[in-house]
Amino acid sequence: MSYDLYFKPRNDSFSDELFHSYFRDRPNYKCEGAQAWYGNEDTGVYFVFELQTEQRSEEDYDDDEPLEHFPVALNINYLRPSYFIFEAEPEVTAFVKHFDFLVSDPQMKGMGEGEYKAEKLLSGWNFGNEFGYASFLKDENNRSGVSHLPAEQLQNAWRWNWSRSQVQARVGESKFVPRIMFLNLSGSPVTAAVWPDGISVVVTRVDYLCVPRKELAPTKFFRKKEDTTFVEWDKALPVLLKHGTQNNDGSISLNYMTPPSDVVKFIQSLPSENRAIEGLSADRVLDREIYERSAV
């Protein structure tokens, strides 16, 4: 299931080349044939704009598609975390404004035909997304293995990941700015950020810090054995605050070039990890509130 929105130029001045030239140099897009795929590696958000290259006859249309020709369609999947539409909306709004498009929106709670309305894109997708949750989760067999976290936690992670590259550019190479990732840790979904060997980082609150140890690997039989371990945020926080500055957004910037001795000792003292750990793609970690409303 997906949200589908159709676009046509107000003054008929549009072409395939204009479509490709618009998306070709726009960040996070990849043009493949008639499609312009948006995919943000930091946030995990994706959607697609697609050229409708052929004028079709009336019998070729689905019931929910516009009968007149709309040369571009947008497709955004449902059953996704709620922040998907927060990232998609500015992209859709910019696209419409650039080409002065009119739209056809066949979704319930959508904007209908005519002028584009950003607030209707948000409400229409949110309505359909919640319907997608309910349709999928009404079957108890589909609930097994579904991961979910509170919407506020997901949206905070998305905001951090969305701005991560800007923060990295601002601090330069002196500090590492890790993205927030999602993991299944012993059967529970958690957020995590990488803190390799205790290096200088800019990091925000997560459930766990993932600590790859190479230079600071534990020694066994007089040899270092590289590993990756995890430490809860609250256990690491005193060390982070001692050697860092808390920023206005709550993140912490560590203020050293090389790890001080107490940081080294802290990293080396962490126990080896023996829990089951599995990476989770961001698009499959759903909003807990919508999950709980739907799984009834």
Side-chain angles (χ1 to χ4, degrees):
M1 293 182 291
S2 63
Y3 178 97
D4 300 298
L5 182 63
Y6 302 89
F7 307 88
K8 72 172 183 179
R10 192 187 304 272
N11 58 10
D12 295 327
S13 59
F14 185 74
S15 67
D16 293 6
E17 179 53 36
L18 288 172
F19 174 88
H20 287 294
S21 65
Y22 176 81
F23 288 113
R24 192 175 294 125
D25 298 321
R26 196 168 176 87
N28 298 320
Y29 283 93
K30 182 178 181 181
C31 291
E32 296 179 344
Q35 296 177 321
W37 281 95
Y38 179 93
N40 188 330
E41 292 184 359
D42 278 344
T43 66
V45 172
Y46 55 85
F47 49 87
V48 62
F49 290 93
E50 184 170 7
L51 286 166
Q52 309 295 287
T53 53
E54 296 183 3
Q55 185 79 36
R56 294 175 290 173
S57 62
E58 184 171 336
E59 56 268 20
D60 290 332
Y61 286 84
D62 295 332
D63 291 339
D64 62 349
E65 290 184 284
L67 291 179
E68 60 181 303
H69 185 57
F70 284 70
V72 182
L74 166 74
N75 178 277
I76 311 175
N77 291 119
Y78 291 143
L79 196 63
R80 296 295 182 267
S82 57
Y83 59 76
F84 259 52
I85 198 62
F86 299 158
E87 189 164 336
E89 180 274 316
E91 291 296 322
V92 179
T93 298
F95 181 59
V96 170
K97 287 184 177 179
H98 183 84
F99 289 107
D100 191 21
F101 278 133
L102 298 172
V103 299
S104 179
D105 182 353
Q107 275 76 216
M108 291 181 65
K109 307 290 185 180
M111 65 193 80
E113 291 202 16
E115 299 296 330
Y116 168 78
K117 300 179 180 67
E119 68 275 12
K120 287 291 187 179
L121 172 68
L122 294 167
S123 63
W125 185 86
N126 282 323
F127 179 85
N129 191 45
E130 186 145 352
F131 180 81
Y133 275 63
S135 298
F136 181 76
L137 296 171
K138 67 182 179 182
D139 185 344
E140 292 185 11
N141 294 325
N142 290 337
R143 301 175 196 171
S144 177
V146 173
S147 299
H148 48 84
L149 287 170
E152 183 178 9
Q153 188 176 11
L154 291 177
Q155 290 169 17
N156 286 342
W158 168 74
R159 290 187 188 95
W160 175 262
N161 287 338
W162 186 74
S163 63
R164 189 202 68 82
S165 60
Q166 300 170 43
V167 177
Q168 185 68 77
R170 186 169 68 248
V171 301
E173 297 181 358
S174 62
K175 302 179 194 294
F176 173 54
V177 184
R179 69 179 179 88
I180 297 176
M181 55 187 176
F182 301 96
L183 302 173
N184 187 316
L185 185 61
S186 294
S188 297
V190 299
T191 57
V194 176
W195 187 25
D197 271 335
I199 65 171
S200 189
V201 294
V202 182
V203 66
T204 194
R205 173 175 282 276
V206 286
D207 294 319
Y208 288 86
L209 290 172
C210 170
V211 186
R213 295 186 290 192
K214 184 176 181 180
E215 296 299 324
L216 303 182
T219 301
K220 188 173 184 180
F221 301 118
F222 306 103
R223 296 182 62 183
K224 287 184 178 180
K225 185 178 181 181
E226 296 179 17
D227 68 355
T228 298
T229 190
F230 289 79
V231 58
E232 295 176 30
W233 175 264
D234 287 341
K235 291 182 179 179
L237 187 58
V239 175
L240 298 175
L241 291 176
K242 179 181 178 181
H243 295 284
T245 301
Q246 193 149 28
N247 303 309
N248 291 334
D249 62 358
S251 64
I252 298 173
S253 299
L254 295 181
N255 297 322
Y256 51 74
M257 295 298 292
T258 59
S261 59
D262 59 334
V263 174
V264 171
K265 184 177 179 181
F266 176 75
I267 297 296
Q268 291 178 331
S269 71
L270 296 175
S272 298
E273 186 59 62
N274 55 17
R275 290 170 290 185
I277 301 167
E278 176 190 10
L280 296 172
S281 62
D283 62 332
R284 305 313 300 169
V285 184
L286 305 181
D287 290 49
R288 180 164 294 163
E289 294 85 347
I290 306 178
Y291 175 91
E292 290 176 345
R293 289 196 297 270
S294 302
V296 294

